[in-house]
């Protein structure tokens, strides 16, 4: 029987939550949670809460902050992306990234984009917006 990679475990866990509302500060190891501040009235995920949850199913503990996740694991070149890798966007060239998604393959990520939206798939390689602010990728260490 073929062993499932940690990245595949994380991808499958994230895909279970397609359509879940974006909630600022929401998400934890058990799944969607009530957010904080302006997200306190809704249960759901923010971008880093979704990736934190997904990778927890693969036995990896990530912080609930995009900047911390950017420093957790091994940097991966775009050409070497694998299913489950974390892909980062925004924040300029020196600041911490402002958004994270989980790579699914073929230029597609799953992510919790913004207030008023839901967890969704996005072909970021074909998005003028995401392609222009791509910061890099990280493969978390189990």
């Amino acid at each position: 029987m073929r062993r499932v990679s940690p990245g595949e475990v994380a991808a499958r866990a994230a895909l279970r939550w397609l359509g879940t509302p974006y909630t600022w500060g929401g998400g934890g190891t058990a799944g969607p949670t009530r957010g904080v501040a302006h997200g306190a009235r809704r249960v759901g995920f923010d971008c880093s809460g979704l990736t934190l949850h997904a990778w927890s199913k693969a036995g990896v503990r990530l912080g609930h902050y995009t900047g911390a996740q950017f420093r957790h694991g091994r940097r991966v070149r775009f050409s070497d992306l694998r299913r489950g890798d974390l892909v980062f966007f925004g924040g300029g060239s020196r600041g911490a990234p402002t958004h994270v998604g989980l790579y699914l393959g073929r230029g597609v990520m799953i992510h919790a984009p913004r207030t008023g939206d839901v967890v969704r798939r996005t072909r970021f390689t074909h998005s003028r917006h995401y392609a222009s602010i791509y910061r890099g990728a990280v493969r978390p260490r189990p």
Side-chain angles (χ1 to χ4, degrees):
M1 184 153 90
R2 188 176 144 239
R3 183 177 166 268
V4 176
S5 72
E8 180 62 30
V9 171
R12 289 178 186 176
L15 284 164
R16 290 187 54 227
W17 300 104
L18 281 167
T20 302
Y22 176 94
T23 304
W24 194 74
T29 57
T33 65
R34 189 167 301 284
V36 299
H38 60 277
R41 293 186 181 178
R42 176 169 279 146
V43 172
F45 289 104
D46 68 7
C47 63
S48 59
L50 177 65
T51 53
L52 173 159
H53 167 73
W55 272 96
S56 77
K57 299 305 172 198
V60 176
R61 253 186 116 90
L62 296 175
H64 195 162
Y65 168 60
T66 302
Q69 292 182 8
F70 191 56
R71 295 184 302 273
H72 187 101
R74 172 172 85 73
R75 293 288 168 97
V76 178
R77 291 190 316 243
F78 185 82
S79 59
D80 294 331
L81 281 172
R82 284 193 222 154
R83 193 163 164 92
D85 288 345
L86 301 177
V87 288
F88 295 89
F89 305 88
S93 61
R94 295 178 190 229
T98 56
H99 188 63
V100 60
L102 193 141
Y103 189 67
L104 296 176
R106 298 186 175 167
V108 176
M109 69 174 163
I110 184 170
H111 65 137
R114 65 185 137 319
T115 300
D117 210 335
V118 296
V119 173
R120 66 176 57 246
R121 291 181 189 103
T122 298
R123 186 174 299 278
F124 70 94
T125 56
H126 287 70
S127 161
R128 190 174 303 173
H129 170 70
Y130 286 112
S132 71
I133 61 170
Y134 179 74
R135 284 287 299 281
V138 168
R139 184 167 301 138
R141 290 187 181 107

